[in-house]
Amino acid sequence: MTGTGEEQGRAGPPLWWARRRDAVGDAALGAVSAAECAWEGIRFSEEAGIPVAAGVLFGVVVGATLVLRRRWPIAVVLVGIAVAPAEMGFLLSVAGMYTLASSEVPRRIIAALASMSLVATFVVMYVKTRGDVEADPTLVLALSVFVAVALTVPPMLLGLYIGARRRLMESLQERADSLERELSLLADRAEERAEWARTEERTRIAREMHDVVAHRVSLMVVHAAALEAVAVKDPARAAKNAALVGDMGRQALTELREMLGVLRAAPKPVAAVAAVAANGSVEAVVRVVPAAVAAGAEDGPSLAELEALVGQSRAAGMAVEVVVHGDGAGAGGGYAAEVEQTAYRVVQEALTNCHKHAPGARVVVRLAHREGEVAMQVENGPSEGPVAGVGLPSGGNGLVGMRERVLGLGGVFVSGPTDAGGFRVSAVLPVR
């Protein structure tokens, strides 16, 4: 059975120490009860006409049953009711009723045993009082009721209160433990979200660095190769290529400085992500990450700069055709900033790959503004005639970066060789 000590359910000494303390207390209480019943057993032996030793032994056995009150409270109460006619076991009855009321025994059993104890005490008291004194029967009845209620109801009410208080403390402790586990889980999730946000930000910066550096430097290499080829035969063209290389280099340096300046300035979205990581708020991380991505796209290129991008590739000697379908808002910069930048970067990286892997090939850039989406496609044919490559290295991150950008906005990305021997890159982006 469940113990009845007030200390159960609250933070305190170790469990083994609490159990040992309860056992010592029950043993002391049982010894006192045994001594009381043994003393009352002397009078009982005289009234019952049995040897005194038998009466004392009987009292000791009855009183000692109180040590079992925590394990078998029902049995202890029944013993107290059974010995009520012998007028012994006052402490046994009171402590047993208290223990029973504070235990986990069903309330209907507690009520039944309390009623039995009340009736037994009343009957014994009434019989004893009526036979010992000459008094008004009404007074005897009232006195018997008072004694029966005084010996039964207060211990029962106190036990009910202590039991309810213990159960409340246990419930509060369980809720506190559950809340602590939930907070720990939320903190772990917040850390995971923050780490995910930092990874996403690093990936985004890596994509931007790759797109800016790879495209500009690829064009510089192409112009440098052309400059080397015509330096002696066509000085005018060599000077033009040299000027283009210088322009490309300055543009690349400008874009790199802007990006490094953004990183050094710790923009608000990135700072917000760091603050969220420190505070451990899952909901805030979920709100901040999309804002960081959107803010990072606000200062990026747009579809309005697509013609300039294609013009750079044409200046490098590539034959590029641009086909635009529809009159979408994107041509004037009306799409969301992240859609504009992603579409631009897809075309830019595809043109860079054409410079690397298909020098001299004819390239077609298609842009379609549709209802609720914008589609782009860059397709190159096979190289027309023997064209010497310029030795541009490939890191293998171009297609991966394009796919990550498109899928991050909920779009569709497809790439692969064509039947004619070329290569095609296609992407569709939702504009809402």
Side-chain angles (χ1 to χ4, degrees), residues 66-130:
L66 190 59
V67 299
L68 305 175
R69 67 187 184 97
R70 296 180 188 272
R71 180 169 298 182
W72 295 308
I74 296 178
V76 172
V77 172
L78 289 175
V79 170
I81 295 174
V83 299
E87 300 180 14
M88 67 170 56
F90 169 77
L91 180 61
L92 175 69
S93 299
V94 172
M97 183 55 62
Y98 163 80
T99 304
L100 177 68
S102 63
S103 66
E104 301 297 331
V105 175
R107 293 296 177 85
R108 63 179 184 275
I109 297 179
I110 295 176
L113 292 177
S115 301
M116 293 171 59
S117 178
L118 181 67
V119 171
T121 305
F122 169 78
V123 171
V124 171
M125 187 64 188
Y126 181 79
V127 173
K128 176 178 174 55
T129 305
R130 188 183 62 176

Side-chain angles (χ1 to χ4, degrees), residues 3-354:
T4 60
E6 295 92 335
E7 60 275 2
Q8 290 192 5
R10 72 172 69 163
L15 182 60
W16 66 270
W17 174 255
R19 289 178 175 175
R20 181 179 179 182
R21 182 181 56 192
D22 291 341
V24 172
D26 290 345
L29 196 61
V32 174
S33 177
E36 176 207 349
C37 291
W39 175 261
E40 294 169 344
I42 298 175
R43 178 179 47 80
F44 171 71
S45 64
E46 295 174 353
E47 294 178 354
I50 62 175
V52 175
V56 172
L57 179 61
F58 176 72
V60 170
V61 173
V62 169
T65 58
L66 190 59
V67 299
L68 305 175
R69 67 187 184 97
R70 296 180 188 272
R71 180 169 298 182
W72 295 308
I74 296 178
V76 172
V77 172
L78 289 175
V79 170
I81 295 174
V83 299
E87 300 180 14
M88 67 170 56
F90 169 77
L91 180 61
L92 175 69
S93 299
V94 172
M97 183 55 62
Y98 163 80
T99 304
L100 177 68
S102 63
S103 66
E104 301 297 331
V105 175
R107 293 296 177 85
R108 63 179 184 275
I109 297 179
I110 295 176
L113 292 177
S115 301
M116 293 171 59
S117 178
L118 181 67
V119 171
T121 305
F122 169 78
V123 171
V124 171
M125 187 64 188
Y126 181 79
V127 173
K128 176 178 174 55
T129 305
R130 188 183 62 176
D132 291 348
V133 298
E134 294 294 337
D136 184 16
T138 304
L139 180 60
V140 173
L141 180 63
L143 181 61
S144 300
V145 170
F146 174 78
V147 173
V149 171
L151 294 180
T152 305
V153 175
M156 182 185 67
L157 294 179
L158 180 61
L160 290 175
Y161 166 75
I162 295 300
R165 181 175 179 273
R166 185 186 67 251
R167 286 187 289 270
L168 176 61
M169 295 296 293
E170 292 174 352
S171 176
L172 292 177
Q173 184 64 39
E174 290 177 359
R175 292 177 61 183
D177 294 341
S178 176
L179 181 60
E180 183 177 358
R181 289 191 297 268
E182 290 179 2
L183 291 176
S184 177
L185 182 60
L186 286 177
D188 294 340
R189 289 182 177 176
E191 181 61 28
E192 293 175 0
R193 293 277 187 173
E195 181 61 29
W196 173 78
R198 289 191 290 266
T199 302
E200 286 294 311
E201 187 65 14
R202 287 195 296 266
T203 303
R204 187 184 71 82
I205 294 172
R207 284 198 300 262
E208 292 295 324
M209 295 288 289
H210 175 272
D211 292 341
V212 170
V213 174
H215 183 71
R216 298 295 182 191
V217 174
S218 297
L219 293 179
M220 290 174 62
V221 173
V222 171
H223 286 300
L227 175 62
E228 182 181 4
V230 300
V232 178
K233 300 178 181 179
D234 192 349
R237 185 177 176 184
K240 181 181 179 181
N241 287 337
L244 289 174
V245 170
D247 290 340
M248 292 294 173
R250 283 187 289 272
Q251 291 177 9
L253 286 175
T254 300
E255 293 180 352
L256 285 175
R257 287 194 186 101
E258 292 176 353
M259 185 169 296
L260 292 176
V262 169
L263 294 178
R264 288 182 179 274
K268 292 182 179 180
V270 177
V273 171
V276 166
N279 295 332
S281 172
V282 178
E283 293 79 4
V285 171
V286 176
R287 292 194 300 267
V288 165
V289 172
V293 175
E298 288 179 358
D299 299 330
S302 65
L303 288 175
E305 305 172 36
L306 190 60
E307 286 294 335
L309 176 66
V310 173
Q312 295 171 0
S313 293
R314 287 170 178 166
M318 178 182 290
V320 186
E321 177 185 358
V322 180
V323 180
V324 180
H325 298 281
D327 297 324
Y335 293 138
E338 58 268 24
V339 175
E340 294 268 334
Q341 179 175 346
T342 299
Y344 180 93
R345 293 302 189 193
V346 168
V347 176
Q348 181 187 53
E349 181 60 28
L351 292 176
T352 301
N353 288 341
C354 292

